[in-house]
Amino acid sequence: MNTAQLAALIAAVFFAAGVCVAAYALIKLARLLSEATRVLSGTREQTDLLVRQAQAAIDRTNEQLDRTDAITANMNEVSANVAELTEHVSTLAGLGRALAAGPVGKVAAVTYGVRHAVGIRRGGGVTGVPAAPAVSVPGPGDGAAGRPALRPGAAQMTGRQVR
């Protein structure tokens, strides 16, 4: 074997070793690409699931907001009705004040005063107001029997003095 043949043999061995190393690297690269593809597909599935869940949450939130809008609209209607009712009550109160302060109220006051005065002059007490019954309340030195006691307003109605 001469030198040229020996050089060709060494070159062929190194070429075969290079081809083996390149084949090994390509096999590892193929495994890496297949694993990366699997990870990406799993990530895509998880992302799709997450997006569906987020969309469902957004849909539920929109439904709740629609319900809240309906409730708010009803509350605005109730507030308007309460304001209208307040106006009506205020108008009725003004009408009552006008009646009480006007001629009808004055006639009613005079009528009441005349009835009251006539009732007192006749000695029957105040007309229209029944006299309260006397209540027996024990006082100092009365023992267990007690004495009849009158309410403070009863003295004016009956003419008796309260002790």
Side-chain angles (χ1 to χ4, degrees):
M1 209 171 259
N2 64 19
T3 14
Q5 291 177 339
L6 185 61
L9 182 64
I10 292 175
V13 169
F14 277 112
F15 181 75
V19 168
C20 287
V21 168
Y24 180 75
L26 286 175
I27 291 172
K28 287 290 187 179
L29 182 62
R31 285 183 186 166
L32 177 66
L33 287 176
S34 66
E35 186 67 24
T37 303
R38 189 179 62 78
V39 168
L40 282 177
S41 66
T43 303
R44 186 179 316 133
E45 291 172 4
Q46 293 295 327
T47 303
D48 291 343
L49 177 65
L50 183 62
V51 167
R52 281 193 300 266
Q53 289 175 346
Q55 186 63 40
I58 289 171
D59 291 341
R60 285 191 306 270
T61 303
N62 285 335
E63 289 173 7
Q64 291 295 327
L65 286 174
D66 290 341
R67 290 179 189 156
T68 303
D69 288 342
I71 290 170
T72 303
N74 288 339
M75 289 305 295
N76 288 338
E77 185 177 332
V78 167
S79 296
N81 289 340
V82 167
E84 183 179 347
L85 178 64
T86 303
E87 289 177 24
H88 291 306
V89 168
S90 179
T91 302
L92 285 175
L95 179 63
R97 279 192 300 270
L99 283 175
V104 175
K106 291 177 183 175
V107 168
V110 167
T111 304
Y112 174 77
V114 168
R115 279 183 48 205
H116 186 70
V118 167
I120 290 175
R121 293 210 22 107
R122 286 186 182 164
V126 178
T127 61
V129 179
V135 178
S136 178
V137 177
D142 286 337
R147 65 173 190 263
L150 297 175
R151 296 182 311 192
Q156 294 173 351
M157 288 189 257
T158 61
R160 295 187 344 192
Q161 187 173 6
V162 177
R163 297 183 231 171

